[in-house]
Amino acid sequence: TPLVSLVVQRLTVDEFGVKRQALGVVANVLQAFQADPRPSTAGWAASLVYEHGAVAPLVALLDVHDADVLRVALHASGGVLAAGEQLARSSRGGVCSNPFTLPFAEAFGVEKLEELQQHWPTLQRRVCSLRGVPYADGGLRKNPSTHAHYSRYYDDQTRRIVAQYMQADIDRFGYTFEQQQGGG
């Protein structure tokens, strides 16, 4: 639709305040999918955003230093990927994998999410400080538990299965299977 094209254009080229408003519109479009996750709604919401080129500007907003924008951009990115998963699950002989993961990866979304994950505790502390809320390390986890290093849960066969299934991501991002030495 022309309105979505205009909003995505604003998300791409305008100054930060306008991008912030455009992000809100995109997030609201994706909220429709999350409220009604049927395949028809998933396809409608995600294709509106994807076909109008919103993935790259959405991923670009994962770099901003504004907690509210970052939260909405993460939520909207998750909405696009969740809609793609719904499309893949509902497809019979058509789409066999999430059609939005490649555009997301091409926009360096995976790298930005990994960087956010690495810096998440620092971000949480800063956001809590800005909001005047005490930060409790691990406070978001309701049932924290300890586990062995992930490599202990894989044998040769399961490593091969994962390597085969995820080969494109492994090659693109240079992932390796780590081996932890010693105990748990």
Side-chain angles (χ1 to χ4, degrees), residues 19 39 55 76 83 86 93 96 109 114-115 119 123 128 134 141 143 148 176 180:
K19 285 182 180 184
V55 173
Q86 178 64 21
C96 62
E114 286 179 343
E115 185 177 321
H119 300 294
L123 290 170
C128 288
R141 294 181 69 193
N143 296 308
T176 59
Q180 185 179 26

Side-chain angles (χ1 to χ4, degrees), residues 1-182:
T1 66
L3 179 60
V4 174
S5 292
L6 181 62
V7 169
V8 172
Q9 185 180 15
R10 301 285 57 96
L11 187 62
T12 305
V13 299
D14 267 324
E15 55 93 13
F16 184 72
V18 176
K19 285 182 180 184
R20 182 185 194 123
Q21 296 302 315
L23 173 63
V25 172
V26 170
N28 285 336
V29 167
L30 293 167
Q31 186 64 35
F33 159 68
Q34 292 175 340
D36 180 12
R38 290 178 298 181
S40 59
T41 310
W44 171 79
S47 66
L48 270 176
V49 174
Y50 170 70
E51 290 171 10
H52 292 280
V55 173
L58 194 60
V59 168
L61 288 172
L62 295 175
D63 274 340
V64 302
H65 298 288
D66 180 303
D68 292 330
V69 169
L70 185 57
R71 180 183 51 78
V72 174
L74 281 167
H75 187 68
S77 296
V80 169
L81 295 172
E85 285 299 314
Q86 178 64 21
L87 287 172
R89 278 194 303 275
S90 66
S91 177
R92 291 197 168 73
V95 176
C96 62
S97 64
N98 188 327
F100 306 126
T101 54
L102 182 60
F104 192 79
E106 287 173 344
F108 301 103
V110 174
E111 289 93 335
K112 289 181 181 180
L113 290 175
E114 286 179 343
E115 185 177 321
L116 282 171
Q117 183 180 20
Q118 180 182 8
H119 300 294
W120 190 244
T122 302
L123 290 170
Q124 284 179 304
R125 279 190 283 282
R126 287 182 183 165
V127 169
C128 288
S129 174
L130 290 171
R131 301 275 181 174
V133 176
Y135 172 75
D137 210 6
L140 296 177
R141 294 181 69 193
K142 301 293 181 204
N143 296 308
S145 58
T146 58
H147 300 279
H149 188 264
Y150 79 89
S151 63
R152 295 194 173 269
Y153 298 98
Y154 293 86
D155 59 19
D156 289 340
Q157 180 183 5
T158 55
R159 279 192 289 275
R160 279 192 303 276
I161 291 169
V162 170
Q164 182 179 5
Y165 184 75
M166 300 303 297
Q167 191 63 52
D169 287 343
I170 291 168
D171 293 344
R172 177 175 170 94
F173 302 112
Y175 292 138
T176 59
F177 189 83
E178 301 169 341
Q179 291 283 349
Q180 185 179 26
Q181 304 299 322

